[in-house]
Coordinates of all heavy atoms in Angstrom, one line a residue:
M178 N 0.8 -1.2 0.0 CA 0.0 0.0 0.0 C 0.9 1.2 0.0 O 1.9 1.3 0.6 CB -0.9 0.0 1.2 CG -1.9 1.0 1.3 SD -3.0 0.7 2.7 CE -3.7 2.3 2.9
L179 N 0.4 2.3 -0.6 CA 1.1 3.5 -0.6 C 1.0 4.2 0.8 O 0.1 3.9 1.5 CB 0.5 4.5 -1.7 CG 0.7 4.1 -3.1 CD1 0.0 5.0 -4.0 CD2 2.2 4.1 -3.5
V180 N 1.9 5.1 1.1 CA 1.8 5.8 2.3 C 0.6 6.7 2.4 O 0.4 7.5 1.4 CB 3.1 6.6 2.5 CG1 3.1 7.3 3.9 CG2 4.3 5.7 2.4
P181 N -0.2 6.6 3.4 CA -1.4 7.5 3.4 C -1.0 8.9 3.6 O 0.0 9.2 4.4 CB -2.2 7.0 4.6 CG -1.5 5.8 5.1 CD -0.2 5.6 4.5
V182 N -1.6 9.8 2.9 CA -1.3 11.3 3.0 C -1.7 11.8 4.4 O -1.0 12.5 5.0 CB -2.0 12.0 1.9 CG1 -1.7 13.5 2.0 CG2 -1.4 11.5 0.5
R183 N -2.9 11.4 4.8 CA -3.5 11.9 6.1 C -3.8 10.8 7.0 O -4.1 9.7 6.5 CB -4.7 12.8 5.8 CG -4.4 14.1 5.1 CD -5.7 14.9 4.9 NE -5.5 16.1 4.3 CZ -5.3 17.3 5.0 NH1 -5.3 17.2 6.3 NH2 -5.0 18.4 4.4
C184 N -3.8 11.1 8.3 CA -4.3 10.1 9.3 C -5.8 9.8 9.0 O -6.6 10.8 8.8 CB -4.1 10.7 10.7 SG -4.8 9.7 12.0
F185 N -6.1 8.6 9.0 CA -7.5 8.2 8.7 C -8.5 8.7 9.8 O -9.7 8.9 9.5 CB -7.7 6.7 8.6 CG -6.9 6.1 7.4 CD1 -6.4 4.8 7.5 CD2 -6.8 6.8 6.3 CE1 -5.8 4.2 6.4 CE2 -6.1 6.2 5.2 CZ -5.6 5.0 5.3
T186 N -8.0 8.8 11.0 CA -8.9 9.2 12.1 C -9.0 10.7 12.3 O -10.1 11.3 12.3 CB -8.4 8.6 13.4 OG1 -8.3 7.2 13.2 CG2 -9.3 8.9 14.6
C187 N -7.9 11.4 12.4 CA -8.0 12.9 12.7 C -7.7 13.8 11.5 O -7.9 15.0 11.6 CB -7.0 13.2 13.9 SG -5.3 13.2 13.4
G188 N -7.2 13.2 10.4 CA -6.9 14.0 9.2 C -5.6 14.8 9.2 O -5.4 15.6 8.3
N189 N -4.8 14.6 10.2 CA -3.5 15.2 10.3 C -2.6 14.7 9.1 O -2.6 13.6 8.8 CB -2.8 14.9 11.6 CG -1.5 15.7 11.8 OD1 -1.4 16.8 11.3 ND2 -0.7 15.1 12.6
V190 N -1.9 15.7 8.5 CA -1.0 15.3 7.4 C 0.2 14.5 7.9 O 0.9 15.1 8.8 CB -0.5 16.5 6.5 CG1 0.4 16.1 5.5 CG2 -1.8 17.2 6.0
I191 N 0.4 13.3 7.5 CA 1.6 12.5 8.0 C 2.5 12.0 6.9 O 3.6 11.6 7.2 CB 1.0 11.3 8.7 CG1 0.1 10.5 7.9 CG2 0.4 11.7 10.0 CD1 -0.2 9.1 8.4
A192 N 2.1 12.1 5.6 CA 2.9 11.6 4.6 C 4.3 12.3 4.4 O 5.3 11.7 4.0 CB 2.2 11.6 3.2
D193 N 4.3 13.6 4.8 CA 5.5 14.3 4.7 C 6.6 13.9 5.7 O 7.7 14.2 5.6 CB 5.2 15.8 4.8 CG 4.6 16.2 6.2 OD1 3.9 15.3 6.8 OD2 4.7 17.3 6.6
R194 N 6.1 13.2 6.7 CA 7.1 12.7 7.8 C 7.5 11.3 7.6 O 8.3 10.8 8.4 CB 6.5 12.9 9.1 CG 6.2 14.4 9.4 CD 5.8 14.6 10.8 NE 5.1 15.9 10.9 CZ 4.1 16.2 11.6 NH1 3.5 15.3 12.3 NH2 3.6 17.4 11.7
Y195 N 6.9 10.6 6.6 CA 7.1 9.1 6.5 C 8.6 8.8 6.2 O 9.2 7.9 6.9 CB 6.2 8.5 5.4 CG 6.4 7.0 5.3 CD1 5.8 6.2 6.3 CD2 7.1 6.5 4.3 CE1 6.0 4.8 6.2 CE2 7.3 5.1 4.2 CZ 6.7 4.3 5.1 OH 6.9 2.9 5.0
E196 N 9.2 9.5 5.2 CA 10.6 9.2 4.9 C 11.5 9.5 6.0 O 12.5 8.8 6.3 CB 10.9 9.9 3.6 CG 10.3 9.3 2.4 CD 10.8 9.9 1.1 OE1 11.8 10.7 1.1 OE2 10.1 9.7 0.1
E197 N 11.2 10.7 6.7 CA 12.0 11.1 7.8 C 11.9 10.0 8.9 O 12.9 9.7 9.6 CB 11.5 12.4 8.3 CG 12.4 13.2 9.2 CD 11.9 14.6 9.5 OE1 10.9 15.0 8.9 OE2 12.4 15.2 10.5
F198 N 10.7 9.5 9.1 CA 10.5 8.5 10.1 C 11.3 7.2 9.8 O 11.9 6.6 10.7 CB 9.0 8.2 10.3 CG 8.7 7.0 11.2 CD1 8.9 7.1 12.5 CD2 8.2 5.8 10.6 CE1 8.6 6.0 13.3 CE2 7.9 4.8 11.4 CZ 8.1 4.9 12.8
Q199 N 11.2 6.8 8.6 CA 11.9 5.6 8.2 C 13.5 5.7 8.3 O 14.1 4.8 8.8 CB 11.6 5.2 6.7 CG 10.2 4.7 6.5 CD 9.9 3.5 7.2 OE1 10.7 2.6 7.3 NE2 8.7 3.4 7.8
A200 N 14.0 6.9 7.9 CA 15.4 7.2 8.1 C 15.8 7.2 9.5 O 16.9 6.6 9.9 CB 15.7 8.5 7.4
A201 N 15.0 7.9 10.4 CA 15.3 7.9 11.8 C 15.2 6.6 12.5 O 15.9 6.3 13.4 CB 14.4 9.0 12.5
L202 N 14.3 5.8 12.0 CA 14.1 4.4 12.6 C 15.3 3.5 12.4 O 15.6 2.7 13.2 CB 12.8 3.8 11.9 CG 12.1 2.7 12.7 CD1 11.7 3.3 14.0 CD2 10.9 2.3 11.9
K203 N 16.0 3.7 11.3 CA 17.2 2.9 11.0 C 18.3 3.3 12.0 O 19.2 2.4 12.3 CB 17.7 3.1 9.6 CG 16.8 2.5 8.6 CD 17.2 2.7 7.2 CE 16.2 2.1 6.2 NZ 16.4 2.6 4.8
K204 N 18.3 4.5 12.5 CA 19.4 5.0 13.4 C 19.0 4.6 14.8 O 19.8 4.2 15.6 CB 19.6 6.5 13.3 CG 20.1 6.9 12.0 CD 20.2 8.4 11.9 CE 20.5 8.9 10.5 NZ 20.3 10.3 10.3
S205 N 17.7 4.8 15.2 CA 17.2 4.6 16.5 C 16.6 3.2 16.6 O 16.0 2.7 15.7 CB 16.2 5.6 16.9 OG 15.6 5.3 18.2
T206 N 16.6 2.6 17.8 CA 16.0 1.3 18.0 C 14.6 1.4 18.6 O 13.9 0.5 18.6 CB 16.9 0.4 18.9 OG1 17.1 1.1 20.1 CG2 18.2 0.0 18.2
N207 N 14.3 2.6 19.1 CA 13.0 2.8 19.8 C 12.1 3.7 18.9 O 12.3 4.9 18.8 CB 13.2 3.5 21.1 CG 12.0 3.4 22.0 OD1 10.9 3.1 21.5 ND2 12.2 3.8 23.3
P208 N 11.1 3.1 18.3 CA 10.1 3.8 17.4 C 9.4 4.9 18.2 O 9.1 5.9 17.7 CB 9.2 2.8 16.9 CG 9.8 1.5 17.2 CD 10.7 1.6 18.3
S209 N 9.1 4.7 19.5 CA 8.4 5.7 20.3 C 9.2 7.0 20.4 O 8.7 8.1 20.2 CB 8.2 5.1 21.7 OG 7.5 6.1 22.5
D210 N 10.5 6.9 20.6 CA 11.4 8.1 20.7 C 11.4 8.8 19.3 O 11.4 10.0 19.3 CB 12.8 7.7 21.1 CG 12.8 7.2 22.6 OD1 11.9 7.5 23.3 OD2 13.8 6.5 22.9
T211 N 11.5 8.0 18.3 CA 11.5 8.5 16.9 C 10.2 9.3 16.6 O 10.3 10.5 16.1 CB 11.7 7.4 15.9 OG1 12.8 6.7 16.2 CG2 11.8 8.0 14.5
L212 N 9.1 8.8 17.0 CA 7.8 9.5 16.8 C 7.7 10.8 17.6 O 7.3 11.8 17.2 CB 6.6 8.6 17.1 CG 6.4 7.5 16.0 CD1 5.4 6.4 16.6 CD2 5.9 8.0 14.7
D213 N 8.2 10.7 18.9 CA 8.3 11.9 19.7 C 9.1 13.0 19.1 O 8.8 14.1 19.1 CB 8.8 11.5 21.1 CG 7.8 10.7 21.9 OD1 6.6 10.7 21.6 OD2 8.2 10.0 22.9
S214 N 10.3 12.6 18.6 CA 11.2 13.6 18.0 C 10.6 14.2 16.8 O 10.9 15.4 16.4 CB 12.5 12.9 17.7 OG 12.4 12.0 16.6
L215 N 9.7 13.5 16.1 CA 9.1 14.1 14.9 C 7.8 14.9 15.2 O 7.2 15.5 14.4 CB 8.6 12.9 13.9 CG 9.7 12.2 13.2 CD1 9.2 11.0 12.4 CD2 10.5 13.1 12.3
G216 N 7.5 14.9 16.5 CA 6.3 15.7 17.0 C 5.0 15.1 16.7 O 4.0 15.7 16.7
I217 N 5.0 13.7 16.6 CA 3.7 13.0 16.4 C 3.3 12.5 17.7 O 3.8 11.5 18.2 CB 3.9 11.9 15.3 CG1 4.3 12.5 14.0 CG2 2.6 11.1 15.2 CD1 4.7 11.5 13.0
K218 N 2.3 13.2 18.3 CA 1.9 12.9 19.7 C 0.6 12.0 19.8 O 0.5 11.1 20.6 CB 1.6 14.1 20.4 CG 2.7 15.1 20.5 CD 3.8 14.6 21.4 CE 5.0 15.6 21.5 NZ 6.2 15.1 22.0
R219 N -0.3 12.2 18.8 CA -1.6 11.4 18.9 C -1.4 9.9 18.5 O -0.7 9.6 17.6 CB -2.6 12.0 18.0 CG -3.0 13.4 18.4 CD -4.1 13.9 17.5 NE -4.1 15.3 17.5 CZ -4.0 16.1 16.4 NH1 -4.1 15.5 15.2 NH2 -4.0 17.4 16.5
Y220 N -2.0 9.1 19.3 CA -1.8 7.6 19.0 C -2.4 7.2 17.6 O -2.0 6.2 17.0 CB -2.3 6.7 20.1 CG -3.8 6.7 20.5 CD1 -4.6 5.9 19.8 CD2 -4.3 7.5 21.5 CE1 -6.0 5.9 20.0 CE2 -5.6 7.5 21.8 CZ -6.4 6.7 21.0 OH -7.8 6.7 21.3
C221 N -3.4 7.9 17.2 CA -4.0 7.6 15.9 C -3.0 7.8 14.8 O -2.9 7.1 13.8 CB -5.3 8.3 15.6 SG -5.2 10.1 15.7
C222 N -2.3 9.0 14.9 CA -1.2 9.3 13.9 C 0.0 8.4 14.0 O 0.6 8.0 13.0 CB -0.8 10.7 14.0 SG -2.1 11.9 13.8
R223 N 0.3 8.0 15.2 CA 1.4 7.1 15.5 C 1.2 5.8 14.9 O 2.1 5.2 14.3 CB 1.7 7.0 17.0 CG 2.2 8.3 17.6 CD 2.1 8.3 19.1 NE 3.3 7.6 19.7 CZ 4.4 8.2 20.1 NH1 4.5 9.5 20.0 NH2 5.3 7.5 20.7
R224 N 0.0 5.3 15.0 CA -0.3 3.9 14.4 C -0.2 4.0 12.9 O 0.1 3.0 12.2 CB -1.6 3.4 14.9 CG -2.9 4.1 14.5 CD -3.5 3.5 13.3 NE -4.3 4.6 12.6 CZ -5.6 4.8 12.6 NH1 -6.3 3.8 13.1 NH2 -6.2 5.8 12.1
M225 N -0.5 5.1 12.3 CA -0.5 5.3 10.8 C 1.0 5.0 10.3 O 1.2 4.3 9.4 CB -1.0 6.6 10.4 CG -2.4 6.9 10.6 SD -3.5 5.8 9.8 CE -3.3 6.4 8.1
L226 N 1.9 5.6 11.0 CA 3.3 5.5 10.6 C 3.9 4.1 11.0 O 4.7 3.5 10.3 CB 4.2 6.6 11.2 CG 3.9 8.0 10.6 CD1 4.8 9.0 11.3 CD2 4.2 8.0 9.1
L227 N 3.4 3.6 12.1 CA 4.0 2.3 12.6 C 3.5 1.2 11.8 O 4.2 0.2 11.6 CB 3.6 2.1 14.1 CG 4.4 3.0 15.1 CD1 3.8 2.8 16.4 CD2 5.8 2.6 15.1
T228 N 2.3 1.2 11.3 CA 1.7 0.1 10.6 C 1.7 0.1 9.1 O 1.2 -0.8 8.5 CB 0.2 -0.1 11.1 OG1 -0.5 1.1 10.8 CG2 0.2 -0.4 12.6
T229 N 2.2 1.2 8.5 CA 2.2 1.3 7.0 C 3.3 0.4 6.5 O 4.4 0.4 6.9 CB 2.5 2.7 6.6 OG1 1.4 3.5 7.0 CG2 2.6 2.8 5.1
V230 N 2.9 -0.5 5.5 CA 3.8 -1.3 4.8 C 3.8 -0.9 3.4 O 2.8 -0.9 2.7 CB 3.4 -2.8 4.9 CG1 4.4 -3.7 4.2 CG2 3.4 -3.2 6.4
E231 N 5.0 -0.5 2.9 CA 5.1 0.0 1.5 C 5.3 -1.2 0.6 O 6.3 -1.8 0.6 CB 6.3 1.0 1.4 CG 6.0 2.1 0.4 CD 7.1 3.1 0.5 OE1 8.1 3.0 1.2 OE2 7.0 4.1 -0.3
T232 N 4.3 -1.5 -0.2 CA 4.4 -2.6 -1.1 C 4.5 -2.3 -2.6 O 4.5 -3.2 -3.4 CB 3.1 -3.5 -0.9 OG1 2.0 -2.7 -1.2 CG2 3.0 -4.1 0.5
I233 N 4.6 -1.0 -2.9 CA 4.6 -0.6 -4.3 C 5.8 -1.2 -5.0 O 5.7 -1.6 -6.2 CB 4.6 0.9 -4.5 CG1 4.3 1.3 -5.9 CG2 5.8 1.6 -3.9 CD1 2.9 1.0 -6.4
Q234 N 7.0 -1.3 -4.4 CA 8.1 -1.9 -5.1 C 8.0 -3.4 -5.3 O 8.6 -3.9 -6.2 CB 9.4 -1.6 -4.2 CG 9.7 -0.2 -4.1 CD 10.0 0.5 -5.4 OE1 10.5 -0.1 -6.4 NE2 9.6 1.8 -5.6
Q235 N 7.1 -4.0 -4.6 CA 6.9 -5.5 -4.8 C 5.9 -5.7 -5.9 O 5.8 -6.7 -6.6 CB 6.4 -6.1 -3.5 CG 7.4 -6.1 -2.4 CD 6.8 -6.3 -1.0 OE1 5.6 -6.4 -0.9 NE2 7.7 -6.3 0.0
I236 N 5.0 -4.7 -6.1 CA 3.9 -4.8 -7.1 C 4.3 -4.4 -8.5 O 3.9 -5.0 -9.5 CB 2.7 -4.0 -6.6 CG1 2.1 -4.5 -5.4 CG2 1.6 -3.9 -7.7 CD1 1.0 -3.7 -4.7
I237 N 5.3 -3.5 -8.6 CA 5.7 -3.0 -9.9 C 6.1 -4.0 -10.9 O 5.7 -4.0 -12.0 CB 6.8 -1.9 -9.7 CG1 6.1 -0.6 -9.2 CG2 7.5 -1.6 -11.0 CD1 7.1 0.5 -8.8
P238 N 7.0 -5.0 -10.5 CA 7.4 -6.0 -11.5 C 6.2 -6.8 -12.0 O 6.2 -7.2 -13.2 CB 8.3 -7.0 -10.7 CG 8.8 -6.2 -9.5 CD 7.7 -5.2 -9.2
F239 N 5.2 -7.1 -11.2 CA 4.0 -7.8 -11.7 C 3.2 -7.0 -12.7 O 2.7 -7.5 -13.7 CB 3.1 -8.3 -10.6 CG 3.8 -9.3 -9.7 CD1 4.3 -8.9 -8.4 CD2 3.9 -10.6 -10.1 CE1 4.9 -9.8 -7.6 CE2 4.5 -11.5 -9.3 CZ 5.0 -11.1 -8.0
Q240 N 3.1 -5.7 -12.4 CA 2.4 -4.8 -13.3 C 3.1 -4.7 -14.6 O 2.5 -4.7 -15.7 CB 2.2 -3.4 -12.6 CG 1.4 -2.4 -13.4 CD -0.1 -2.9 -13.4 OE1 -0.6 -3.6 -12.5 NE2 -0.8 -2.6 -14.5
E241 N 4.4 -4.6 -14.6 CA 5.2 -4.5 -15.9 C 5.1 -5.8 -16.7 O 4.9 -5.8 -17.9 CB 6.7 -4.3 -15.5 CG 6.9 -2.9 -15.0 CD 8.4 -2.7 -14.5 OE1 9.1 -3.7 -14.4 OE2 8.7 -1.6 -14.3
A242 N 5.0 -7.0 -16.0 CA 4.8 -8.2 -16.7 C 3.5 -8.3 -17.3 O 3.3 -8.8 -18.5 CB 5.0 -9.4 -15.7
V243 N 2.4 -7.9 -16.6 CA 1.1 -7.9 -17.2 C 1.0 -7.0 -18.4 O 0.4 -7.3 -19.4 CB 0.1 -7.4 -16.1 CG1 -1.3 -7.1 -16.7 CG2 -0.1 -8.5 -15.0
H244 N 1.6 -5.8 -18.3 CA 1.6 -4.9 -19.5 C 2.4 -5.5 -20.7 O 1.9 -5.4 -21.8 CB 2.3 -3.5 -19.0 CG 2.3 -2.5 -20.1 ND1 1.2 -1.9 -20.6 CD2 3.4 -2.0 -20.8 CE1 1.6 -1.1 -21.5 NE2 2.9 -1.1 -21.7
K245 N 3.5 -6.1 -20.4 CA 4.3 -6.7 -21.5 C 3.5 -7.8 -22.1 O 3.4 -8.0 -23.4 CB 5.6 -7.3 -20.9 CG 6.5 -7.9 -21.9 CD 7.8 -8.3 -21.2 CE 8.7 -9.0 -22.2 NZ 9.9 -9.6 -21.5
R246 N 2.8 -8.6 -21.3 CA 2.0 -9.7 -21.9 C 0.8 -9.2 -22.7 O 0.4 -9.8 -23.7 CB 1.4 -10.6 -20.7 CG 0.6 -11.8 -21.2 CD 1.5 -12.8 -22.0 NE 0.6 -13.8 -22.6 CZ 0.7 -14.3 -23.8 NH1 1.7 -13.9 -24.6 NH2 -0.1 -15.2 -24.2
N247 N 0.2 -8.1 -22.2 CA -0.9 -7.5 -23.0 C -0.4 -7.0 -24.4 O -1.1 -7.2 -25.4 CB -1.5 -6.3 -22.2 CG -2.4 -6.7 -21.1 OD1 -3.0 -7.8 -21.2 ND2 -2.7 -5.9 -20.2
L248 N 0.8 -6.5 -24.4 CA 1.3 -6.0 -25.7 C 1.6 -7.2 -26.6 O 1.3 -7.2 -27.8 CB 2.6 -5.3 -25.5 CG 2.5 -3.9 -24.8 CD1 3.8 -3.3 -24.6 CD2 1.6 -3.0 -25.7
E249 N 2.0 -8.4 -26.0 CA 2.3 -9.6 -26.8 C 1.0 -10.1 -27.4 O 0.9 -10.5 -28.6 CB 2.9 -10.6 -26.0 CG 4.4 -10.4 -25.6 CD 5.0 -11.4 -24.6 OE1 4.2 -12.3 -24.2 OE2 6.1 -11.2 -24.2
V250 N -0.1 -10.1 -26.6 CA -1.4 -10.6 -27.1 C -1.9 -9.8 -28.2 O -2.4 -10.3 -29.2 CB -2.4 -10.7 -25.9 CG1 -3.8 -10.9 -26.3 CG2 -1.9 -11.8 -24.9
K251 N -1.8 -8.4 -28.0 CA -2.3 -7.5 -29.0 C -1.5 -7.7 -30.3 O -2.1 -7.7 -31.4 CB -2.1 -6.1 -28.6 CG -3.2 -5.6 -27.7 CD -3.1 -4.1 -27.3 CE -4.1 -3.7 -26.3 NZ -3.9 -2.3 -25.9
A252 N -0.2 -8.0 -30.2 CA 0.6 -8.2 -31.4 C 0.2 -9.5 -32.1 O 0.2 -9.6 -33.4 CB 2.1 -8.2 -31.0
E253 N -0.1 -10.5 -31.3 CA -0.5 -11.8 -31.9 C -1.9 -11.7 -32.6 O -2.1 -12.4 -33.6 CB -0.6 -12.9 -30.8 CG 0.8 -13.3 -30.3 CD 0.7 -14.3 -29.2 OE1 -0.5 -14.8 -28.9 OE2 1.7 -14.5 -28.5
L254 N -2.8 -10.9 -32.1 CA -4.1 -10.7 -32.7 C -4.1 -9.9 -34.0 O -5.0 -10.1 -34.8 CB -5.1 -10.1 -31.7 CG -5.4 -10.9 -30.5 CD1 -6.2 -10.2 -29.5 CD2 -6.1 -12.2 -30.9
E255 N -3.1 -9.1 -34.1 CA -3.1 -8.2 -35.3 C -2.4 -8.9 -36.5 O -1.9 -9.9 -36.5 CB -2.3 -6.9 -35.0 CG -3.0 -6.0 -34.1 CD -2.2 -4.8 -33.7 OE1 -1.1 -4.7 -34.1 OE2 -2.8 -4.0 -32.9
Ligands
LIG87 ZN1 -4.3 11.1 13.8

């Protein structure tokens, strides 16, 4: 899933802090301290960053394969 732009519950913009959170998470071992340092206090916003799994890089190869196969089928039909 793509990173949500806003918190689903309160509507706070969180997408601008996602990359910063991921980078800080690699340095720090405690996600709670990382979220505090980013100024994310509400637990609804914190769960948004903690539970997001970025799957777009895993999906892209399948989408490219489907597109390539569609082109092959169209070429065979013509
Ligand atoms: Zn929120």
Side-chain angles (χ1 to χ4, degrees):
M178 188 171 158
L179 293 173
V180 179
V182 175
R183 290 181 176 268
C184 174
F185 293 150
T186 304
C187 72
N189 187 25
V190 177
I191 55 166
D193 59 334
R194 299 188 195 141
Y195 182 76
E196 287 184 15
E197 197 176 346
F198 173 68
Q199 291 297 321
L202 204 57
K203 289 177 183 169
K204 295 175 190 169
S205 172
T206 54
N207 191 347
S209 177
D210 293 341
T211 305
L212 288 167
D213 288 340
S214 69
L215 291 173
I217 300 172
K218 303 288 182 196
R219 293 183 206 128
Y220 65 84
C221 58
C222 301
R223 292 167 81 94
R224 66 97 206 251
M225 296 296 290
L226 289 178
L227 287 171
T228 59
T229 296
V230 177
E231 215 173 359
T232 56
I233 190 68
Q234 295 301 325
Q235 296 161 357
I236 294 172
I237 285 174
F239 294 104
Q240 188 64 31
E241 289 173 347
V243 167
H244 180 69
K245 185 178 175 184
R246 181 64 187 141
N247 281 340
L248 292 176
E249 288 173 2
V250 168
K251 279 184 184 176
E253 288 174 12
L254 292 175
E255 289 175 357

